[in-house]
Amino acid sequence: MRFSLRFSGRRRLAAAAAAATGVLLAATGCGGDDGAGDGTITLTVDVFGQFGYEELYKEYMATNPHIKIVERGTGGNLDEYSPKLTQWLAAGKGAGDVVAIEEGLMVEYKANPKNFVNLLDHGAGELEGNFLPWKWNQGLADNGKHLIGLGTDVGGMAMCYRSDLFAKAGLPTDREEVGKLWPTWQDYIKVGERFTAADTGAAFLDAATNTFNTIVLQEAGKSTGYHYYDTGDNLVVESNPAVRRAWDVTVDIIDSGLSGKYGAWSEEWVAAFKQAKFATIACPAWMTGVIEGNAGADAKGKWDIAAVPGGGGNWGGSHLAVPTQSRHQAEAIALAKFLTSPQGHVGAFQAKGPLPSSPQALDDPAVAQSTNGYFSDAPVGLIFGGGAKSLKPVYMGPKNQAVRTEVENAIRTVELGQRSPAEGWKDAVDNSKKAAAK
Amino acid sequence: MSLHVDVGAPRRGSHSKPRPAAGRGPGPADRRPRGRFSRFDLKYSPYFYIAPFFLLFAVFGAYPLGYTLWVSLHDWDLLGDEQAFVGLANYRALMADSDFWNSVVNTLGIFVISTVPQLLLALWLANLLNRQLRARTLFRMGVLIPNITSTAAVAIVFSQLFSREFGLINWTLDLVGVDAIDWKANRLASWVAISTMVDWRWTGYNALIFLAAMQAIPRDLYESAAIDGARPIRQFWSITVPLLKPTIIFAVIISTIGGLQLFTEPRLFNSGPNPIRGGPLRESQTMTMYMFENAFAPNYNFGYGSAVAWMLFALIVVIALVNVVIIRRLGNSARGGQ
């Protein structure tokens, strides 16, 4: 060959240097991405589960043509969402312009309110009347001087059941009569024993942890107003009678052999919904959307909703906040206000069923008189909304989520027969102390 | 009998120190660098060629490593305002943390019951593929197929197979009269299930590496061994395995690093509330999962999580060294048997 393919020395050196810097630039390079140039602003909303905002976005974008809304995380679960949000906040980059915060995690974010815009500085104070007082207070940090989030939904409770399985077991199927079967949890156990004796091939309930959560929040609401932490942020798992009572009732349920032991939120749990492997599940308002999603269209009309044993209570519910890292704070605040307005609450309820935390929305006929077709046209507005205004909130301490995980896990080991109830209780106490100390 | 098993393994002496001229290859001997620039080029260009790797390593490898060490010396709440320097307190707490040691035992247990059968199986598979087969390339590429599937997909499918009530494995066991096993709430069972996933994915990959090394072994070694009356089994242990030693060491180190960092398979094998725990009693929680649990949800204790990361790093170094020593010994004794 006449022409050498080899580079000459000078060119070779240049090529090597170019390659090295090129890789480095590609690795570290980043650029501005602001603005489409036509004045349109894109707002990102981060959620988990089902918030039901799609129609509200369309409405908002129609009246605010310069805003484009993108939602991330619909259908995802909280266990995946909350670490991501925490990382974004810690990194100072990546979070949406509006983010959803679950009430159990709110306490952890309150520890450093600087991560969020103080909505009181932006005229949110006059909106106080739009929310249940305790829901409003949950969003306040720094002794009431800093409003982190505006309330979305609350978790009014009920008991969802499969009327086809109840019929098979010779139990009443009408929701009024079913509710009368179980004024207390002990009655619920008796019904469960009758159900089990009929041998339908299904368990009476899905998982003891779901039942435990319901009972502990009821007990706390009825007595102390707190469960794992007292209002002085001391860990009281061991000494709080509300926790112990809920534990004992749950152990009774386990001992009666009523649980299908499908770990809540696991793949088996989802499969058990599809195959009708259990007859009842404690359901906060937001759970109706989960049941519909898991059990699928085939089970439409087979599910129904009755009153929950043991009286009302609250489980779950979220807030919308605006991180200070948002580059469009003013627009984001306006959007958060819109989504949490009484009108926003009603829209979300109609779309996916989360129960409003706004008294005006709860009184709105669109909520109060609504029925749910999937659940045999159950009057969900009446069932969930009825007690919502009189709900007593349960206080949650700094490491609430970590402690709750430990107690739930202890319940699960008892349910699976890995631990005796006494050993399980010891685990619950010891491990929650350990988790709280981390 | 004169089998010179050294043929394949290059001796240290055969690498003479590369002198500048040696790098020019078999070109005309009279071509000499001319001018200052050429000399400079000759001396430093190689460094520029390898620079991209080291630059990237510095940015994405060394810097995070050092930063993690720095973080591990602090009480570093991911959401907190101030991060107090606490020295070795995190490491001291870790030493007394039974959940940490539980994760170490799990990691080592899963590592042993996945890696040992995996490498033996790969060796055997490679030996089979090294024969005269019809559609050889097809089979050779075929063993790699499990490796190109996504880990997440594999883990999800396997965790369904190993489901307590709805799983195919328990259904099959039931057919032969074995009681259902709760694969996720039984420690040993969960280790076996996770190891199955790892083996399914990586056996073919290692087999191909072994196969490549086997093909470098001169055929005449086997021929003369056959003439001397050695049967295939004997040939395998006395020729193939000793000559494969450097490759086996490589595979063992790679498997050690991968095996001790196991995360996706056990994480996706466990579903439900807080799956990062790896079962109600932490039956299958590996060290990386424990690190994640502490650094992120639900504890958000970045300092503690970083301390776990450094302990993992130390453990990998120790285990890799132990493995190399063991393999060397084994190889030597096999050679000594000649």
Side-chain angles (χ1 to χ4, degrees):
Chain A
M1 258 170 86
R2 268 197 74 138
F3 300 105
S4 168
L5 282 175
R6 244 186 304 161
F7 287 126
S8 74
R10 189 185 298 264
R11 237 190 262 158
R12 202 168 54 165
L13 184 67
T21 46
V23 169
L24 195 66
L25 278 179
T28 56
C30 55
D33 57 337
D34 204 10
D38 56 357
T40 311
I41 290 170
T42 302
L43 293 178
T44 308
V45 182
D46 286 328
V47 299
F48 54 89
Q50 302 287 352
F51 275 64
Y53 286 157
E54 287 74 13
E55 292 300 319
L56 293 167
Y57 294 147
K58 279 182 202 153
E59 198 181 312
Y60 193 77
M61 286 190 276
T63 50
N64 297 279
H66 66 295
I67 303 276
K68 187 171 165 261
I69 303 171
V70 180
E71 187 180 85
R72 298 188 296 192
T74 321
N77 77 35
L78 185 61
D79 275 349
E80 284 159 22
Y81 171 79
S82 68
K84 265 194 281 184
L85 177 58
T86 306
Q87 286 164 42
W88 289 328
L89 293 176
K93 203 171 165 62
D97 299 288
V98 177
V99 298
I101 300 180
E102 210 267 341
E103 65 171 20
L105 292 158
M106 187 53 133
V107 279
E108 297 186 23
Y109 296 122
K110 277 187 191 177
N112 193 3
K114 270 187 291 184
N115 284 324
F116 299 99
V117 171
N118 185 355
L119 298 169
L120 293 176
D121 295 342
H122 299 271
E126 63 197 46
L127 302 174
E128 188 170 351
N130 284 350
F131 299 91
L132 295 170
W134 59 270
K135 188 74 182 179
W136 175 261
N137 289 336
Q138 272 184 346
L140 286 171
D142 206 4
N143 294 324
K145 281 181 288 197
H146 190 125
L147 184 69
I148 290 180
L150 292 164
T152 60
D153 59 321
V154 293
M157 284 181 193
M159 183 64 79
C160 293
Y161 67 100
R162 280 194 74 118
S163 49
D164 59 332
L165 288 175
F166 269 48
K168 211 169 160 188
L171 291 167
T173 55
D174 178 72
R175 62 182 78 92
E176 289 288 325
E177 287 176 52
V178 170
K180 280 183 196 141
L181 285 177
W182 54 49
T184 69
W185 286 100
Q186 294 306 328
D187 298 320
Y188 175 78
I189 293 175
K190 285 193 194 105
V191 177
E193 281 165 348
R194 271 169 70 191
F195 180 88
T196 311
D199 203 15
T200 57
F204 189 54
L205 59 108
D206 61 327
T209 45
N210 274 343
T211 321
F212 173 78
N213 251 317
T214 308
I215 304 174
V216 78
L217 290 163
Q218 284 176 340
E219 289 289 339
K222 268 188 272 184
S223 58
T224 47
Y226 53 81
H227 53 353
Y228 304 132
Y229 283 90
D230 67 14
T231 46
D233 286 343
N234 304 303
L235 187 71
V236 291
V237 173
E238 193 169 15
S239 57
N240 188 350
V243 177
R244 182 71 211 203
R245 272 201 297 275
W247 176 276
D248 289 339
V249 173
T250 309
V251 168
D252 281 348
I253 292 172
I254 292 170
D255 284 345
S256 312
L258 302 182
S259 172
K261 304 177 191 175
Y262 305 105
W265 306 104
S266 69
E267 281 150 17
E268 294 200 327
W269 190 63
V270 175
F273 269 108
K274 291 225 163 60
Q275 306 195 12
K277 285 288 188 181
F278 58 85
T280 65
I281 176 173
C283 56
W286 47 261
M287 187 73 95
T288 55
V290 177
I291 294 173
E292 187 175 343
N294 285 346
D298 290 348
K300 184 173 192 254
K302 291 175 180 165
W303 281 95
D304 208 328
I305 310 175
V308 69
N314 179 56
W315 175 3
S318 301
H319 290 79
L320 293 186
V322 177
T324 34
Q325 58 183 263
S326 162
R327 276 182 302 186
H328 308 292
Q329 289 183 10
E331 290 83 0
I333 292 164
L335 176 62
K337 282 182 183 169
F338 169 75
L339 292 173
T340 56
S341 65
Q343 172 203 2
H345 276 106
V346 172
F349 175 81
Q350 284 173 325
K352 298 284 178 188
L355 189 65
S357 64
S358 156
Q360 293 91 330
L362 285 167
D363 288 337
D364 192 309
V367 173
Q369 291 164 22
S370 68
T371 57
N372 187 328
Y374 188 85
F375 290 84
S376 317
D377 290 322
V380 280
L382 194 72
I383 295 173
F384 290 114
K389 280 198 243 174
S390 58
L391 275 183
K392 283 202 194 134
V394 172
Y395 176 80
M396 304 200 177
K399 288 272 184 183
N400 178 70
Q401 194 68 14
V403 171
R404 174 185 154 185
T405 301
E406 294 300 341
V407 180
E408 272 186 13
N409 255 288
I411 284 280
R412 180 131 179 84
T413 57
V414 176
E415 182 181 36
L416 291 173
Q418 295 173 306
R419 288 275 192 269
S420 73
E423 288 165 345
W425 177 251
K426 192 175 175 305
D427 277 357
V429 171
D430 293 348
N431 291 340
S432 52
K433 277 181 191 159
K434 207 168 139 183
K438 265 181 185 167
Chain B
M1 274 231 293
S2 57
L3 273 180
H4 286 287
V5 280
D6 284 337
V7 174
R11 311 194 113 215
R12 239 172 233 165
S14 68
H15 286 295
S16 56
K17 273 206 166 170
R19 276 168 299 142
R24 305 299 296 226
D30 59 347
R31 271 198 70 180
R32 294 190 163 269
R34 278 165 306 205
R36 213 150 42 97
F37 185 77
S38 291
R39 259 200 314 276
F40 179 77
D41 170 31
L42 217 50
K43 244 182 174 167
Y44 297 108
S45 279
Y47 294 103
F48 278 104
Y49 286 125
I50 55 168
F53 169 78
F54 286 97
L55 288 175
L56 287 180
F57 176 76
V59 174
F60 293 105
Y63 172 71
L65 207 63
Y67 190 65
T68 307
L69 183 63
W70 173 244
V71 170
S72 77
L73 302 176
H74 291 75
D75 184 11
W76 194 296
D77 186 332
L78 204 49
L79 281 172
D81 243 352
E82 290 167 10
Q83 283 88 28
F85 185 86
V86 293
L88 293 174
N90 282 326
Y91 291 93
R92 271 197 297 274
L94 207 53
M95 290 299 107
D97 183 347
S98 58
D99 290 338
F100 169 70
W101 291 112
N102 173 64
S103 74
V104 174
V105 171
N106 286 346
T107 308
L108 293 177
I110 295 172
F111 167 66
V112 169
I113 60 176
S114 66
T115 308
V116 174
Q118 183 193 134
L119 293 182
L120 290 177
L121 206 63
L123 209 52
W124 176 69
L125 208 58
N127 197 40
L128 292 185
L129 287 172
N130 200 19
R131 295 181 187 181
Q132 295 298 332
L133 291 170
R134 225 175 266 216
R136 214 163 34 172
T137 315
L138 185 76
F139 283 114
R140 286 177 181 175
M141 295 329 289
V143 296
L144 203 61
I145 286 177
N147 196 254
I148 57 173
T149 48
S150 129
T151 320
V154 175
I156 288 168
V157 169
F158 272 73
S159 90
Q160 305 268 3
L161 292 178
F162 285 105
S163 166
R164 167 171 51 106
E165 202 157 314
F166 309 109
L168 190 65
I169 309 259
N170 272 355
W171 180 77
T172 315
L173 288 179
D174 189 52
L175 285 185
V176 295
V178 179
D179 279 342
I181 298 171
D182 195 342
W183 292 97
K184 283 157 198 179
N186 176 310
R187 192 166 180 147
L188 197 60
S190 67
W191 290 4
V192 170
I194 291 165
S195 300
T196 319
M197 285 182 228
V198 178
D199 288 346
W200 187 80
R201 207 170 133 75
W202 291 103
T203 305
Y205 172 84
N206 284 316
L208 280 196
I209 292 181
F210 289 147
L211 177 63
M214 277 179 193
Q215 296 198 317
I217 301 174
R219 290 257 137 226
D220 48 352
L221 282 181
Y222 293 102
E223 279 158 20
S224 40
I227 291 168
D228 285 340
R231 297 166 64 92
I233 287 274
R234 176 69 198 250
Q235 289 178 17
F236 178 72
W237 288 111
S238 300
I239 301 174
T240 314
V241 172
L243 286 180
L244 240 46
K245 214 177 70 180
T247 315
I248 293 176
I249 291 178
F250 168 78
V252 164
I253 290 177
I254 294 294
S255 305
T256 308
I257 295 171
L260 294 180
Q261 290 182 341
L262 204 61
F263 180 80
T264 315
E265 285 93 345
R267 164 60 187 79
L268 290 174
F269 178 68
N270 292 288
S271 57
N274 213 7
I276 204 77
R277 286 174 79 96
L281 290 174
R282 302 176 187 270
E283 285 88 350
S284 51
Q285 186 177 43
T286 58
M287 287 174 77
T288 41
M289 287 165 83
Y290 192 62
M291 171 177 83
F292 194 94
E293 184 189 353
N294 280 294
F296 303 113
N299 291 324
Y300 299 113
N301 189 336
F302 224 40
Y304 202 68
S306 302
V308 177
W310 263 88
M311 293 301 292
L312 176 62
F313 179 76
L315 188 74
I316 290 176
V317 171
V318 170
I319 304 274
L321 287 177
V322 168
N323 276 338
V324 169
V325 170
I326 292 176
I327 299 287
R328 281 236 166 116
R329 283 265 163 83
L330 286 183
N332 286 341
S333 67
R335 210 193 289 198
Q338 278 298 304

